[in-house]
Amino acid sequence: MADINITQAHNLDPAQARAAAEQVAERIAKEFDLACHWQGDTLKFGRSGVEGTLTLADSAAHMNIKLGFLMGAFKSAIEGKVAEKMRTVFAAA
C-alpha cells in the first residue's frame, strides 16, 4: 500500500474550513469515484483500492490517503492533484 499524507495550513474559521474541505472532497470524489461522509471533524472517503480521511484542526487540514496496489502506481499524480486543490481552497481566506 502507498500512503499520501498532506498537511495544509489555513486561517479559516470552522465553518469556512468545513466548506473548503467539502470542495476538496467534491473534487476527489468526482475524479476518483469515491463515497464521502463526515464523522465529527473528519471527512472519510473511499472505494475499492482507496481510503482516506481529511481531518480539520484549528489552523490546518490533514489529508491521509491509503492507496491499494493498483492505485499505488498513480501515487505521484494523485498526491499532486490533491495537494494543489488543498492549497487552492484552504488559502482562500
Short mmCIF file of all heavy atoms in Angstrom, two decimals, residues 40-90:
data_model
loop_
_atom_site.label_atom_id
_atom_site.label_comp_id
_atom_site.label_asym_id
_atom_site.label_seq_id
_atom_site.Cartn_x
_atom_site.Cartn_y
_atom_site.Cartn_z
N GLY A 40 -17.80 13.67 12.72
CA GLY A 40 -17.25 14.77 13.52
C GLY A 40 -16.54 15.76 12.62
O GLY A 40 -17.10 16.23 11.63
N ASP A 41 -15.27 16.06 12.92
CA ASP A 41 -14.47 16.97 12.11
C ASP A 41 -13.60 16.23 11.09
O ASP A 41 -12.66 16.78 10.54
CB ASP A 41 -13.56 17.82 13.01
CG ASP A 41 -14.33 18.91 13.74
OD1 ASP A 41 -15.40 19.29 13.25
OD2 ASP A 41 -13.85 19.35 14.80
N THR A 42 -13.94 14.97 10.85
CA THR A 42 -13.17 14.17 9.90
C THR A 42 -14.07 13.73 8.75
O THR A 42 -15.14 13.17 8.97
CB THR A 42 -12.58 12.92 10.59
OG1 THR A 42 -11.71 13.35 11.64
CG2 THR A 42 -11.80 12.07 9.61
N LEU A 43 -13.61 14.02 7.55
CA LEU A 43 -14.31 13.58 6.34
C LEU A 43 -13.66 12.27 5.90
O LEU A 43 -12.45 12.23 5.65
CB LEU A 43 -14.18 14.63 5.25
CG LEU A 43 -14.86 14.32 3.93
CD1 LEU A 43 -16.38 14.27 4.11
CD2 LEU A 43 -14.50 15.35 2.89
N LYS A 44 -14.44 11.21 5.87
CA LYS A 44 -13.92 9.91 5.45
C LYS A 44 -14.37 9.64 4.02
O LYS A 44 -15.48 9.99 3.64
CB LYS A 44 -14.43 8.81 6.37
CG LYS A 44 -13.93 8.97 7.79
CD LYS A 44 -14.26 7.79 8.64
CE LYS A 44 -13.56 7.94 9.97
NZ LYS A 44 -13.36 6.68 10.63
N PHE A 45 -13.48 9.03 3.24
CA PHE A 45 -13.81 8.73 1.86
C PHE A 45 -13.16 7.41 1.45
O PHE A 45 -12.19 6.97 2.06
CB PHE A 45 -13.38 9.86 0.92
CG PHE A 45 -11.93 10.25 1.06
CD1 PHE A 45 -10.95 9.61 0.32
CD2 PHE A 45 -11.56 11.25 1.93
CE1 PHE A 45 -9.62 9.97 0.44
CE2 PHE A 45 -10.22 11.62 2.06
CZ PHE A 45 -9.26 10.97 1.31
N GLY A 46 -13.73 6.80 0.43
CA GLY A 46 -13.13 5.56 -0.02
C GLY A 46 -13.90 4.87 -1.13
O GLY A 46 -14.98 5.29 -1.53
N ARG A 47 -13.27 3.85 -1.63
CA ARG A 47 -13.81 2.91 -2.60
C ARG A 47 -12.81 1.77 -2.65
O ARG A 47 -11.79 1.81 -1.97
CB ARG A 47 -14.00 3.54 -3.96
CG ARG A 47 -12.69 3.84 -4.68
CD ARG A 47 -12.92 4.30 -6.10
NE ARG A 47 -11.66 4.43 -6.77
CZ ARG A 47 -11.27 3.70 -7.81
NH1 ARG A 47 -12.07 2.79 -8.31
NH2 ARG A 47 -10.11 3.88 -8.35
N SER A 48 -13.05 0.80 -3.45
CA SER A 48 -12.11 -0.30 -3.56
C SER A 48 -10.75 0.23 -4.01
O SER A 48 -10.64 0.91 -5.03
CB SER A 48 -12.63 -1.32 -4.58
OG SER A 48 -11.71 -2.37 -4.72
N GLY A 49 -9.71 -0.04 -3.22
CA GLY A 49 -8.37 0.38 -3.58
C GLY A 49 -7.95 1.75 -3.08
O GLY A 49 -6.78 2.13 -3.22
N VAL A 50 -8.88 2.50 -2.47
CA VAL A 50 -8.57 3.84 -1.96
C VAL A 50 -9.39 4.08 -0.70
O VAL A 50 -10.60 3.87 -0.69
CB VAL A 50 -8.93 4.95 -2.97
CG1 VAL A 50 -8.60 6.32 -2.40
CG2 VAL A 50 -8.25 4.74 -4.30
N GLU A 51 -8.73 4.54 0.34
CA GLU A 51 -9.46 5.00 1.53
C GLU A 51 -8.67 6.12 2.17
O GLU A 51 -7.45 6.20 2.02
CB GLU A 51 -9.71 3.87 2.52
CG GLU A 51 -8.46 3.30 3.14
CD GLU A 51 -8.76 2.19 4.13
OE1 GLU A 51 -9.57 1.30 3.81
OE2 GLU A 51 -8.19 2.22 5.22
N GLY A 52 -9.40 7.01 2.84
CA GLY A 52 -8.68 8.11 3.44
C GLY A 52 -9.54 8.98 4.32
O GLY A 52 -10.75 8.75 4.47
N THR A 53 -8.89 9.97 4.89
CA THR A 53 -9.55 10.93 5.77
C THR A 53 -9.00 12.33 5.49
O THR A 53 -7.85 12.49 5.09
CB THR A 53 -9.30 10.60 7.25
OG1 THR A 53 -7.90 10.59 7.51
CG2 THR A 53 -9.92 9.26 7.63
N LEU A 54 -9.86 13.30 5.75
CA LEU A 54 -9.47 14.71 5.75
C LEU A 54 -9.94 15.25 7.09
O LEU A 54 -11.14 15.36 7.32
CB LEU A 54 -10.11 15.46 4.59
CG LEU A 54 -9.90 16.98 4.54
CD1 LEU A 54 -8.42 17.33 4.56
CD2 LEU A 54 -10.56 17.56 3.32
N THR A 55 -8.99 15.52 7.97
CA THR A 55 -9.31 15.95 9.33
C THR A 55 -9.03 17.44 9.46
O THR A 55 -7.96 17.91 9.08
CB THR A 55 -8.47 15.16 10.35
OG1 THR A 55 -8.71 13.76 10.16
CG2 THR A 55 -8.85 15.54 11.77
N LEU A 56 -10.00 18.15 10.01
CA LEU A 56 -9.87 19.59 10.21
C LEU A 56 -9.40 19.89 11.62
O LEU A 56 -9.93 19.36 12.59
CB LEU A 56 -11.22 20.28 9.97
CG LEU A 56 -11.79 20.13 8.57
CD1 LEU A 56 -13.16 20.78 8.51
CD2 LEU A 56 -10.86 20.73 7.54
N ALA A 57 -8.40 20.74 11.73
CA ALA A 57 -7.92 21.26 13.00
C ALA A 57 -8.07 22.78 12.96
O ALA A 57 -8.44 23.34 11.93
CB ALA A 57 -6.47 20.85 13.23
N ASP A 58 -7.77 23.45 14.07
CA ASP A 58 -7.95 24.90 14.15
C ASP A 58 -7.19 25.66 13.07
O ASP A 58 -7.70 26.62 12.52
CB ASP A 58 -7.52 25.43 15.52
CG ASP A 58 -8.50 25.01 16.61
OD1 ASP A 58 -9.66 24.69 16.29
OD2 ASP A 58 -8.08 25.01 17.79
N SER A 59 -5.97 25.24 12.75
CA SER A 59 -5.17 26.00 11.80
C SER A 59 -4.58 25.15 10.68
O SER A 59 -3.69 25.61 9.97
CB SER A 59 -4.04 26.73 12.53
OG SER A 59 -3.20 25.79 13.17
N ALA A 60 -5.09 23.93 10.51
CA ALA A 60 -4.57 23.06 9.45
C ALA A 60 -5.59 22.00 9.07
O ALA A 60 -6.48 21.66 9.86
CB ALA A 60 -3.27 22.40 9.88
N ALA A 61 -5.45 21.50 7.87
CA ALA A 61 -6.23 20.36 7.39
C ALA A 61 -5.25 19.24 7.08
O ALA A 61 -4.21 19.49 6.46
CB ALA A 61 -7.02 20.73 6.14
N HIS A 62 -5.55 18.04 7.55
CA HIS A 62 -4.66 16.90 7.38
C HIS A 62 -5.34 15.85 6.51
O HIS A 62 -6.39 15.33 6.87
CB HIS A 62 -4.30 16.29 8.73
CG HIS A 62 -3.78 17.27 9.73
ND1 HIS A 62 -2.48 17.75 9.68
CD2 HIS A 62 -4.38 17.90 10.76
CE1 HIS A 62 -2.32 18.61 10.68
NE2 HIS A 62 -3.45 18.73 11.33
N MET A 63 -4.72 15.54 5.38
CA MET A 63 -5.24 14.54 4.46
C MET A 63 -4.36 13.29 4.56
O MET A 63 -3.13 13.39 4.50
CB MET A 63 -5.21 15.06 3.02
CG MET A 63 -5.61 14.06 1.96
SD MET A 63 -7.37 13.83 1.79
CE MET A 63 -7.82 15.33 0.94
N ASN A 64 -5.00 12.15 4.74
CA ASN A 64 -4.29 10.88 4.76
C ASN A 64 -5.01 9.96 3.78
O ASN A 64 -6.21 9.71 3.93
CB ASN A 64 -4.31 10.29 6.17
CG ASN A 64 -3.57 8.97 6.25
OD1 ASN A 64 -3.48 8.23 5.28
ND2 ASN A 64 -3.05 8.67 7.42
N ILE A 65 -4.29 9.46 2.79
CA ILE A 65 -4.88 8.59 1.77
C ILE A 65 -4.05 7.30 1.72
O ILE A 65 -2.83 7.35 1.65
CB ILE A 65 -4.86 9.25 0.37
CG1 ILE A 65 -5.59 10.59 0.40
CG2 ILE A 65 -5.49 8.32 -0.66
CD1 ILE A 65 -5.43 11.40 -0.88
N LYS A 66 -4.74 6.18 1.76
CA LYS A 66 -4.10 4.87 1.60
C LYS A 66 -4.53 4.32 0.24
O LYS A 66 -5.72 4.17 -0.01
CB LYS A 66 -4.51 3.92 2.71
CG LYS A 66 -4.02 4.34 4.08
CD LYS A 66 -4.34 3.29 5.12
CE LYS A 66 -3.98 3.75 6.50
NZ LYS A 66 -2.62 4.04 6.72
N LEU A 67 -3.55 4.05 -0.60
CA LEU A 67 -3.81 3.53 -1.93
C LEU A 67 -3.49 2.05 -1.98
O LEU A 67 -2.44 1.62 -1.48
CB LEU A 67 -2.94 4.27 -2.96
CG LEU A 67 -3.11 5.78 -3.04
CD1 LEU A 67 -2.08 6.36 -3.97
CD2 LEU A 67 -4.51 6.13 -3.48
N GLY A 68 -4.36 1.29 -2.60
CA GLY A 68 -4.12 -0.12 -2.80
C GLY A 68 -3.03 -0.32 -3.85
O GLY A 68 -2.50 0.63 -4.43
N PHE A 69 -2.71 -1.57 -4.11
CA PHE A 69 -1.62 -1.91 -5.01
C PHE A 69 -1.76 -1.26 -6.39
O PHE A 69 -0.84 -0.61 -6.88
CB PHE A 69 -1.53 -3.43 -5.16
CG PHE A 69 -0.46 -3.88 -6.10
CD1 PHE A 69 0.87 -3.79 -5.73
CD2 PHE A 69 -0.77 -4.37 -7.35
CE1 PHE A 69 1.87 -4.18 -6.59
CE2 PHE A 69 0.22 -4.78 -8.22
CZ PHE A 69 1.55 -4.68 -7.84
N LEU A 70 -2.92 -1.40 -7.02
CA LEU A 70 -3.10 -0.86 -8.37
C LEU A 70 -3.08 0.67 -8.38
O LEU A 70 -2.46 1.29 -9.25
CB LEU A 70 -4.39 -1.38 -8.99
CG LEU A 70 -4.43 -2.88 -9.27
CD1 LEU A 70 -5.80 -3.29 -9.78
CD2 LEU A 70 -3.36 -3.28 -10.25
N MET A 71 -3.74 1.29 -7.42
CA MET A 71 -3.77 2.75 -7.37
C MET A 71 -2.42 3.33 -6.94
O MET A 71 -2.11 4.48 -7.23
CB MET A 71 -4.87 3.23 -6.42
CG MET A 71 -6.28 2.94 -6.89
SD MET A 71 -6.69 3.76 -8.44
CE MET A 71 -6.85 5.44 -7.89
N GLY A 72 -1.61 2.54 -6.28
CA GLY A 72 -0.29 3.00 -5.84
C GLY A 72 0.59 3.44 -7.00
O GLY A 72 1.46 4.29 -6.84
N ALA A 73 0.34 2.89 -8.17
CA ALA A 73 1.10 3.28 -9.36
C ALA A 73 0.85 4.74 -9.74
O ALA A 73 1.66 5.36 -10.41
CB ALA A 73 0.74 2.37 -10.54
N PHE A 74 -0.26 5.29 -9.27
CA PHE A 74 -0.63 6.67 -9.60
C PHE A 74 -0.41 7.62 -8.42
O PHE A 74 -0.92 8.74 -8.42
CB PHE A 74 -2.09 6.73 -10.04
CG PHE A 74 -2.39 5.83 -11.21
CD1 PHE A 74 -3.02 4.62 -11.01
CD2 PHE A 74 -2.01 6.19 -12.48
CE1 PHE A 74 -3.28 3.78 -12.08
CE2 PHE A 74 -2.26 5.36 -13.56
CZ PHE A 74 -2.90 4.14 -13.36
N LYS A 75 0.36 7.19 -7.43
CA LYS A 75 0.55 7.98 -6.21
C LYS A 75 1.00 9.41 -6.49
O LYS A 75 0.42 10.36 -5.97
CB LYS A 75 1.56 7.30 -5.28
CG LYS A 75 1.83 8.10 -4.03
CD LYS A 75 2.90 7.49 -3.16
CE LYS A 75 3.18 8.44 -1.99
NZ LYS A 75 4.27 7.98 -1.16
N SER A 76 2.01 9.59 -7.29
CA SER A 76 2.55 10.93 -7.54
C SER A 76 1.51 11.85 -8.18
O SER A 76 1.36 13.00 -7.77
CB SER A 76 3.77 10.86 -8.45
OG SER A 76 4.82 10.22 -7.79
N ALA A 77 0.78 11.34 -9.15
CA ALA A 77 -0.24 12.16 -9.82
C ALA A 77 -1.37 12.51 -8.86
O ALA A 77 -1.83 13.65 -8.82
CB ALA A 77 -0.79 11.42 -11.04
N ILE A 78 -1.81 11.53 -8.08
CA ILE A 78 -2.90 11.77 -7.12
C ILE A 78 -2.45 12.76 -6.06
O ILE A 78 -3.17 13.72 -5.75
CB ILE A 78 -3.35 10.44 -6.48
CG1 ILE A 78 -4.01 9.55 -7.53
CG2 ILE A 78 -4.30 10.69 -5.31
CD1 ILE A 78 -4.25 8.11 -7.09
N GLU A 79 -1.26 12.57 -5.53
CA GLU A 79 -0.74 13.46 -4.49
C GLU A 79 -0.63 14.89 -5.01
O GLU A 79 -1.01 15.85 -4.32
CB GLU A 79 0.62 12.96 -4.02
CG GLU A 79 1.16 13.72 -2.83
CD GLU A 79 2.40 13.05 -2.25
OE1 GLU A 79 3.08 12.30 -2.97
OE2 GLU A 79 2.67 13.29 -1.06
N GLY A 80 -0.16 15.07 -6.22
CA GLY A 80 -0.03 16.40 -6.80
C GLY A 80 -1.37 17.09 -6.97
O GLY A 80 -1.53 18.27 -6.62
N LYS A 81 -2.36 16.37 -7.48
CA LYS A 81 -3.70 16.95 -7.68
C LYS A 81 -4.35 17.32 -6.36
O LYS A 81 -4.93 18.40 -6.22
CB LYS A 81 -4.60 15.97 -8.44
CG LYS A 81 -4.25 15.83 -9.89
CD LYS A 81 -5.18 14.86 -10.58
CE LYS A 81 -4.81 14.71 -12.03
NZ LYS A 81 -5.74 13.83 -12.74
N VAL A 82 -4.27 16.43 -5.38
CA VAL A 82 -4.90 16.69 -4.09
C VAL A 82 -4.20 17.84 -3.37
O VAL A 82 -4.86 18.73 -2.82
CB VAL A 82 -4.92 15.41 -3.22
CG1 VAL A 82 -5.41 15.71 -1.81
CG2 VAL A 82 -5.81 14.34 -3.87
N ALA A 83 -2.88 17.85 -3.38
CA ALA A 83 -2.13 18.93 -2.71
C ALA A 83 -2.46 20.29 -3.33
O ALA A 83 -2.65 21.28 -2.61
CB ALA A 83 -0.63 18.66 -2.78
N GLU A 84 -2.54 20.34 -4.64
CA GLU A 84 -2.86 21.60 -5.32
C GLU A 84 -4.27 22.07 -4.96
O GLU A 84 -4.49 23.25 -4.69
CB GLU A 84 -2.73 21.45 -6.83
CG GLU A 84 -3.11 22.70 -7.62
CD GLU A 84 -2.26 23.92 -7.27
OE1 GLU A 84 -1.08 23.76 -6.90
OE2 GLU A 84 -2.77 25.05 -7.36
N LYS A 85 -5.22 21.16 -4.95
CA LYS A 85 -6.60 21.53 -4.60
C LYS A 85 -6.67 22.02 -3.16
O LYS A 85 -7.33 23.01 -2.86
CB LYS A 85 -7.54 20.34 -4.82
CG LYS A 85 -8.99 20.66 -4.59
CD LYS A 85 -9.51 21.68 -5.58
CE LYS A 85 -10.99 21.92 -5.41
NZ LYS A 85 -11.47 22.99 -6.28
N MET A 86 -5.97 21.36 -2.25
CA MET A 86 -5.97 21.79 -0.85
C MET A 86 -5.34 23.18 -0.71
O MET A 86 -5.85 24.02 0.02
CB MET A 86 -5.27 20.77 0.04
CG MET A 86 -6.09 19.51 0.23
SD MET A 86 -5.35 18.33 1.33
CE MET A 86 -5.39 19.21 2.91
N ARG A 87 -4.22 23.40 -1.41
CA ARG A 87 -3.59 24.75 -1.36
C ARG A 87 -4.57 25.80 -1.84
O ARG A 87 -4.69 26.86 -1.24
CB ARG A 87 -2.33 24.77 -2.23
CG ARG A 87 -1.07 24.36 -1.55
CD ARG A 87 0.17 24.68 -2.37
NE ARG A 87 0.19 24.01 -3.66
CZ ARG A 87 0.63 22.77 -3.87
NH1 ARG A 87 1.08 22.06 -2.88
NH2 ARG A 87 0.63 22.26 -5.07
N THR A 88 -5.26 25.51 -2.92
CA THR A 88 -6.18 26.48 -3.51
C THR A 88 -7.34 26.81 -2.59
O THR A 88 -7.63 27.98 -2.33
CB THR A 88 -6.72 25.95 -4.85
OG1 THR A 88 -5.63 25.70 -5.73
CG2 THR A 88 -7.67 26.93 -5.51
N VAL A 89 -8.02 25.80 -2.08
CA VAL A 89 -9.24 26.08 -1.30
C VAL A 89 -8.96 26.52 0.12
O VAL A 89 -9.71 27.34 0.67
CB VAL A 89 -10.22 24.88 -1.30
CG1 VAL A 89 -10.66 24.54 -2.71
CG2 VAL A 89 -9.67 23.68 -0.60
N PHE A 90 -7.90 26.03 0.73
CA PHE A 90 -7.63 26.44 2.12
C PHE A 90 -6.88 27.77 2.20
O PHE A 90 -6.83 28.39 3.25
CB PHE A 90 -6.88 25.34 2.88
CG PHE A 90 -7.77 24.21 3.28
CD1 PHE A 90 -7.75 23.02 2.58
CD2 PHE A 90 -8.66 24.34 4.33
CE1 PHE A 90 -8.60 21.97 2.93
CE2 PHE A 90 -9.50 23.30 4.69
CZ PHE A 90 -9.46 22.11 3.99
#
